[in-house]
Amino acid sequence: MMSPQRPKLGVLQRLALWAHDHYRAVFVGFGILLLVALALASRLRFDTDVLNLLPRKDPVINAYMDTLRDFGTFDYLMITVRLPEGATVAPYESFVDRLGERLEVIEQVSSVDYRIGEPIELVESFFPYALLFLDQAGRAALTERLSDEGIERRVQDLKRLLTTPQALAMKDLVKIDPFGIAQIVTGGLTARRGGLAIDWSSGYFLSKDRQVLLLLVKPNKAPQNIAFDRELVAATQMAIDSTLAEWEEIAGTDGPPTPTVRSGGPYVTALIDAAAIQGDMTVNMVSSMALVLLLFLIAFRRLGPLTYAFVPLAAGLVLTFGFSAIAFGTLSTATSGTAALLIGLGIDFIIVSYGRFVEERNAGAGFETALAKTMGTSGRAVVVGAVTTAATFYAFTFTDFRGLRQMGVLTGTGILLCMAAVLLLLPAMLAWSEDHSRRRRRAPRLYLHSFGSERVIALCMRHPRLVLAIGLLVTVGAATQLHRLSFEDNWRSMRPAGNEGVEVEHEVAESFDSDFDFMMLVLEGEEIEPLLERTAEVSRKAQALVDSGVMNGVSSVTSFVPPPSAQREALEWLKAGRDDGRLDMQRIRATFSQALVALNRRVEPFGRGLDLLERALAADQPVRVEDFGGNRQVRQLLDRALLPVESGWKSVVYLYPPAEVYRRQAPQEVRDLAEEMGEDVMLTGANLVNERMRKRVRRDAWVAALLGTFIVGLLLWLDFRSLRAAILALMPLAVGVIWMLGGMVLLGIAMNFMNIFVTTMIIGIGVDYGLHMVHRYYEVRKTTVGRIYDGLRRTGNAIVVAALSTMVGFGSMSLSQYPGLRTTGYVAILGAALTAVVAITLLPAYLSLRVQRRLGEFPPASTADPVATTSTGS
């Protein structure tokens, strides 16, 4: 098979002929590489946590991530128990108790929150310190209530309260708190839950319309651990099913209907999203491959070329995902469309290379001559095109978004791996085919479909001025519409519809007027007492936002532990009250007893409550955080607001907005508060992170586009060694992008966080079309007019087939379950189609003018068959 003598060849030509001569070694080598890559790719994991895609150089985002790290994730598995219309609550609360007990023993669960605990137990825990929470107005109100006249009025109020329908439920609470001081405690707990409606007679998380009970399951791992999510959700569903099966035992044989129980929140959302990502990747890969191969079959009208397309593409994809397992180990949502990208881009290399090989064989060249000529001309353009395309994706490495960096590195490297597979496997496979054909003594019939492109190119070259004038009008028209291009910056609009996890979150938000999208004011200090004072100051200022209706609730450590200065004032007031008789417990007991006897009521049921009040009035020491260590529920509440850290202590003031409000950005009043509080108070939260991301995405998209354009322009200049040639190659890209953006306005497609980066992708995709056309022009420009026009038309054939394959490859992304990825597919199809249209219309028209001016000749009226050219050969 070796040729006895070969002329001096370039690197790509020598590589192709080596692969031709040693095709069995090439097959074996790639086989080994693919087995290793498959083994590595099987270990890939999928990460659906959007937090892992965030930039890490932004103070607001860092504060948010650090707070999550220090205080633990704020994510819950939410379980809603919806009551039938008109049903009484009691049996469903018993159902929640039993379900809660089952959930608490699940291995993946650290705690279950569905009631604030026994109200009596909580009141007894807090009551001895309750009076230390009182401010000046509260102390004055309590002094008046504990006066003789106030006690007599309170007893009258108790008589009316105990005769209401709610008396049975409230009786135990009234007994231990006859003066209503527990409201101080419940206010702090209510704020902690951000406005969750609580049935205080029993302490369950019950919606305001008394139709939904809520359980908040706190898992012991983060939701991005998909294997953990799967085990958690399965165990939770088993507990739900088991408890539902016992409904008759819980409610009785004649009880009300069973409740509707749903699970949701980040853990369910992540699990469903992971399945969607895997499904999207499979659909993208299979549909892209199938449609591209179908297109290849139509274009070349032989089953043989399908192998030339499938094997290098499949090899490139497997090597890419093997590389991703080594480089990353975990793939994010940003990389779920990588397979479609690589198929759409990689097929271009095969079409251009094999198309040129078919052209040379049809012109009568021998096998080795055609292969060498192909690699010496189109092969060089393929390498330059692959490098420029990879460079535009590598431009994403300069963004702060980790997911986009991963996508850029993965796709850029994948393009280079696909190029390497084409440069080695295509010559080897052609050699195998040639060897096989010789043995059978039958040469295959070669064919390349033009899809009408030759007629279009011929028409444009015959009427260049008219075509350029029309192109100018279209370009100006599209440019005038660019100001109408909108930007959809709502992240939720890019999620798939019908996700059970998201739907349950919406149900909780609507039913409880709280969606857990709180903001945080984060403070740090070396000593705990100054930090508590500072936290109290911030909390007081934030409470004004609640009073004005901007926020629903405020919670901090000072909801449970008053600042030292406030406690000192309260202790001085208590001592003075005991000394002057205003807070004398002996007088209070006597007056309360007399008032009860006067109404024929017994004093004994209130004995425990009077003892608790006596302890509260006798307080002479401040309460400390560690004093609540014996109460597990209170300790959990405190650990969410105050923790020791390496530098001392960290405190968080939680701001709870109304449900479905301020999701996209913080209200100005909150920003003003943070600015007023000073640099030691950092405002952060999911909505502020989203706002920062929107700004950074737009900035990074511009940076990536400009950087990609610069790199591509530089590479083209180095390739052509001519600024004019580089500009000519870039012309289809520049005009095509303007047409693409104008087309988006016409079709009503808005920019979003995903498809905004398609502009950078189109730089890598669209530049190849101009590159191939200009390369062919410079290859034949010194020949006859007929050969110049014929060469441009032949190259146009390959460009059209390559563009169609790219559109088909990206078209699979339009089948994605994610609206953001769907629009990415739409925009990529537009960009690939329109840049190709410019490359086979306006660019040939301009080149035709140059030929006419230089040679003074018009293109011939016709050349070879404008539809296709066929011959025999490998």
Side-chain angles (χ1 to χ4, degrees):
M1 293 176 61
M2 285 287 291
S3 300
Q5 290 184 344
R6 286 174 177 169
K8 186 176 181 180
L9 302 172
V11 174
L12 293 178
Q13 292 170 310
R14 290 199 300 271
L15 180 65
L17 292 175
W18 178 88
H20 163 268
D21 295 339
H22 304 87
Y23 63 83
R24 291 183 180 86
V26 172
F27 294 153
V28 171
F30 264 91
I32 295 172
L33 282 175
L34 293 179
L35 288 175
V36 174
L38 280 172
L40 292 170
S42 67
R43 301 167 58 186
L44 275 173
R45 301 190 307 273
F46 298 94
D47 183 5
T48 65
D49 188 4
V50 70
L51 294 179
N52 289 333
L53 306 179
L54 300 181
R56 294 301 177 86
K57 297 180 181 179
D58 187 290
V60 172
I61 295 175
N62 284 342
Y64 186 71
M65 299 293 288
D66 290 345
T67 305
L68 290 182
R69 181 198 64 212
D70 293 335
F71 289 88
T73 176
F74 302 124
D75 296 317
Y76 292 98
L77 175 65
M78 303 176 185
I79 300 177
T80 59
V81 179
R82 182 168 287 276
L83 283 60
E85 193 70 33
T88 57
V89 177
Y92 299 96
E93 292 177 338
S94 300
F95 174 87
V96 167
D97 282 331
R98 187 168 297 190
L99 176 57
E101 291 170 1
R102 276 200 169 98
L103 294 171
E104 284 178 336
V105 299
I106 292 176
E107 180 183 355
Q108 294 81 13
V109 172
S110 61
S111 66
V112 182
D113 227 358
Y114 55 93
R115 56 190 300 186
I116 64 165
E118 291 294 339
I120 305 301
E121 178 187 346
L122 283 172
V123 169
E124 289 182 339
S125 296
F126 273 96
F127 212 101
Y129 316 108
L131 304 186
L132 301 181
F133 286 82
L134 293 175
D135 57 14
Q136 187 173 357
R139 294 192 289 268
L142 183 61
T143 300
E144 193 281 329
R145 180 172 290 189
L146 295 180
S147 66
D148 290 345
E149 296 80 4
I151 292 173
E152 292 173 357
R153 285 194 296 271
R154 180 60 181 172
V155 171
Q156 292 288 342
D157 291 340
L158 289 175
K159 178 184 177 181
R160 287 192 296 272
L161 179 64
L162 294 175
T163 57
T164 62
Q166 293 81 21
L168 185 62
M170 296 295 295
K171 181 174 64 177
D172 290 338
L173 187 59
V174 169
K175 285 180 181 178
I176 66 167
D177 183 25
F179 292 96
I181 298 173
Q183 293 172 357
I184 301 169
V185 178
T186 61
L189 295 177
T190 304
R192 183 258 172 183
R193 287 299 179 194
L196 281 181
I198 301 296
D199 177 11
W200 281 103
S201 63
S202 57
Y204 290 88
F205 296 167
L206 180 65
S207 63
K208 293 178 181 178
D209 60 4
R210 301 178 68 82
Q211 289 297 300
V212 179
L213 287 157
L214 175 66
L215 297 94
L216 298 175
V217 180
K218 186 70 176 67
N220 47 37
K221 291 185 180 179
Q224 60 263 35
N225 188 329
I226 301 302
F228 172 82
D229 296 344
R230 192 174 292 112
E231 295 172 356
L232 169 68
V233 171
T236 301
Q237 190 59 48
M238 186 178 297
I240 292 171
D241 293 341
S242 299
T243 310
L244 284 171
E246 298 170 358
W247 175 249
E248 187 172 312
E249 176 187 335
I250 296 170
T253 55
D254 298 326
T258 57
T260 301
V261 184
R262 301 174 72 193
S263 300
Y267 291 86
V268 176
T269 300
L271 188 59
I272 294 174
D273 278 353
I277 292 171
Q278 289 177 301
D280 274 359
M281 291 186 69
T282 302
V283 170
N284 284 341
M285 187 178 297
V286 173
S287 62
S288 295
M289 186 70 76
L291 291 173
V292 165
L293 294 179
L294 177 62
L295 176 66
F296 215 78
L297 177 62
I298 294 171
F300 293 98
R301 291 192 178 180
R302 285 180 56 223
L303 291 175
L306 290 180
T307 308
Y308 304 151
F310 176 79
V311 173
L313 274 181
L317 286 174
V318 172
L319 291 175
T320 299
F321 285 106
F323 164 79
S324 68
I326 297 173
F328 305 113
T330 301
L331 294 182
S332 69
T333 55
T335 62
S336 60
T338 298
L341 282 171
L342 293 178
I343 291 172
L345 295 168
I347 195 69
D348 289 4
F349 308 149
I350 300 169
I351 290 171
V352 171
S353 299
Y354 185 65
R356 184 59 184 269
F357 177 78
V358 169
E359 181 183 335
E360 295 298 330
R361 291 288 276 157
N362 288 341
F367 182 88
E368 290 192 10
T369 302
L371 185 59
K373 186 71 176 293
T374 296
M375 290 302 166
T377 54
S378 295
R380 177 185 169 193
V382 163
V383 171
V384 175
V387 172
T388 55
T389 303
T392 59
F393 283 96
Y394 284 136
F396 288 121
T397 59
F398 291 89
T399 180
D400 290 335
F401 288 88
R402 299 171 67 190
L404 287 174
R405 284 204 306 272
Q406 186 185 81
M407 185 274 291
V409 171
L410 188 59
T411 308
T413 303
I415 289 167
L416 298 179
L417 290 172
C418 285
M419 176 198 71
V422 170
L423 293 178
L424 284 169
L425 284 174
L426 182 59
M429 294 170 69
L430 288 172
W432 176 88
S433 177
E434 176 74 5
D435 193 22
H436 188 67
S437 298
R438 285 174 179 169
R439 291 175 185 174
R440 292 186 304 166
R441 297 181 180 179
R442 180 173 61 84
R445 185 177 178 84
L446 301 181
Y447 181 92
L448 176 59
H449 204 302
S450 69
F451 293 96
S453 62
E454 290 199 0
R455 290 191 180 95
V456 172
I457 295 172
L459 181 65
C460 292
M461 290 190 296
R462 291 289 299 175
H463 307 282
R465 290 178 177 83
L466 176 61
V467 171
L468 290 174
I470 294 173
L472 179 61
L473 289 175
V474 174
T475 304
V476 172
T480 60
Q481 298 300 308
L482 297 186
H483 70 281
R484 296 175 52 200
L485 186 64
S486 59
F487 190 93
E488 174 57 69
D489 57 4
N490 184 358
W491 284 98
R492 298 196 174 205
S493 67
M494 287 181 281
R495 300 195 74 109
N499 188 308
E500 179 79 359
V502 176
E503 290 179 355
V504 170
E505 286 190 62
H506 287 321
E507 181 184 12
V508 171
E510 293 175 0
S511 299
F512 293 87
D513 195 24
S514 177
D515 53 13
F516 300 94
D517 278 345
F518 46 79
M519 287 164 279
M520 297 174 285
L521 293 165
V522 183
L523 306 89
E524 292 191 49
E526 295 180 2
E527 301 292 336
I528 189 170
E529 288 198 4
L531 182 62
L532 287 175
E533 294 287 357
R534 184 68 167 142
T535 302
E537 179 187 3
V538 174
S539 298
R540 283 194 299 271
K541 295 281 188 178
Q543 183 60 39
L545 300 179
V546 178
D547 298 337
S548 64
V550 175
M551 291 286 110
N552 261 10
V554 174
S555 174
S556 70
V557 62
T558 56
S559 301
F560 315 104
V561 180
S565 61
Q567 293 195 57
R568 285 192 292 269
E569 288 183 14
L571 289 170
E572 291 173 1
W573 167 76
L574 285 170
K575 183 177 184 304
R578 291 193 297 266
D579 292 343
D580 62 21
R582 288 175 299 161
L583 303 178
D584 178 61
M585 193 60 206
Q586 186 174 355
R587 175 190 61 80
I588 293 170
R589 280 182 183 272
T591 304
F592 186 71
S593 299
Q594 291 171 5
L596 285 173
V597 171
L599 295 175
N600 295 318
R601 300 284 180 177
R602 298 170 52 244
V603 71
E604 288 79 10
F606 300 98
R608 177 60 180 155
L610 292 172
D611 290 343
L612 286 173
L613 177 60
E614 183 171 4
R615 285 184 59 191
L617 291 173
D620 58 359
Q621 295 293 325
V623 62
R624 300 169 300 170
V625 172
E626 49 267 33
D627 292 333
F628 293 103
N631 188 304
R632 182 181 65 86
Q633 295 179 21
V634 178
R635 185 72 254 175
Q636 287 178 348
L637 301 181
L638 286 172
D639 285 346
R640 305 292 290 193
L642 179 73
L643 276 181
V645 292
E646 185 176 347
S647 59
W649 292 84
K650 179 178 284 190
S651 171
V652 178
V653 178
Y654 296 94
L655 307 177
Y656 298 95
E660 305 293 337
V661 180
Y662 307 129
R663 280 185 176 275
R664 299 180 60 208
Q665 60 185 16
Q668 188 58 46
E669 294 88 343
V670 172
R671 297 174 190 275
D672 293 342
L673 171 62
E675 186 175 351
E676 177 187 348
M677 288 295 93
E679 295 182 357
D680 64 324
V681 178
M682 173 61 70
L683 174 65
T684 189
N687 55 354
L688 284 109
V689 170
N690 287 337
E691 183 181 1
R692 291 298 183 100
M693 287 179 65
R694 289 196 297 272
K695 294 178 180 178
R696 296 179 78 96
V697 161
R698 296 189 189 191
R699 186 202 68 183
D700 287 357
W702 277 106
V703 170
L706 293 174
L707 183 60
T709 303
F710 172 77
I711 294 173
V712 166
L714 180 62
L715 290 172
L716 291 177
W717 177 76
L718 291 174
D719 178 42
F720 288 110
R721 301 290 181 178
S722 166
L723 182 60
R724 174 182 290 183
I727 293 173
L728 272 178
L730 284 172
M731 189 266 282
L733 171 65
V735 176
V737 168
I738 294 174
W739 288 13
M740 178 191 77
L741 298 176
M744 290 176 63
V745 174
L746 183 65
L747 298 174
I749 302 174
M751 279 285 187
N752 59 46
F753 293 115
M754 292 185 178
N755 66 32
I756 191 173
F757 289 94
V758 171
T759 303
T760 303
M761 297 179 193
I762 293 299
I763 293 172
I765 296 167
V767 74
D768 288 355
Y769 306 145
L771 172 68
H772 292 307
M773 189 65 80
V774 175
H775 254 289
R776 190 59 179 268
Y777 171 75
Y778 275 86
E779 179 188 337
V780 298
R781 65 174 177 164
K782 294 182 180 180
T783 62
T784 64
V785 174
R787 290 195 61 186
I788 292 173
Y789 290 108
D790 188 63
L792 293 179
R793 283 196 296 269
R794 301 294 187 193
T795 301
N797 292 354
I799 288 174
V800 168
V801 177
L804 288 173
S805 67
T806 300
M807 293 164 62
V808 167
F810 279 110
S812 66
M813 294 177 68
S814 64
L815 303 176
S816 172
Q817 300 176 64
Y818 286 84
L821 278 178
R822 282 203 301 271
T823 61
T824 298
Y826 301 151
V827 175
I829 290 171
L830 265 180
L834 294 176
T835 51
V837 166
V838 176
I840 65 170
T841 57
L842 301 187
L843 184 55
Y846 176 77
L847 293 174
S848 177
L849 279 180
R850 289 187 62 180
V851 172
Q852 292 175 29
R853 289 171 184 168
R854 184 167 58 87
L855 301 179
E857 296 183 47
F858 284 89
S862 64
T863 55
D865 177 9
V867 176
T869 302
T870 61
S871 77
T872 58
S874 229

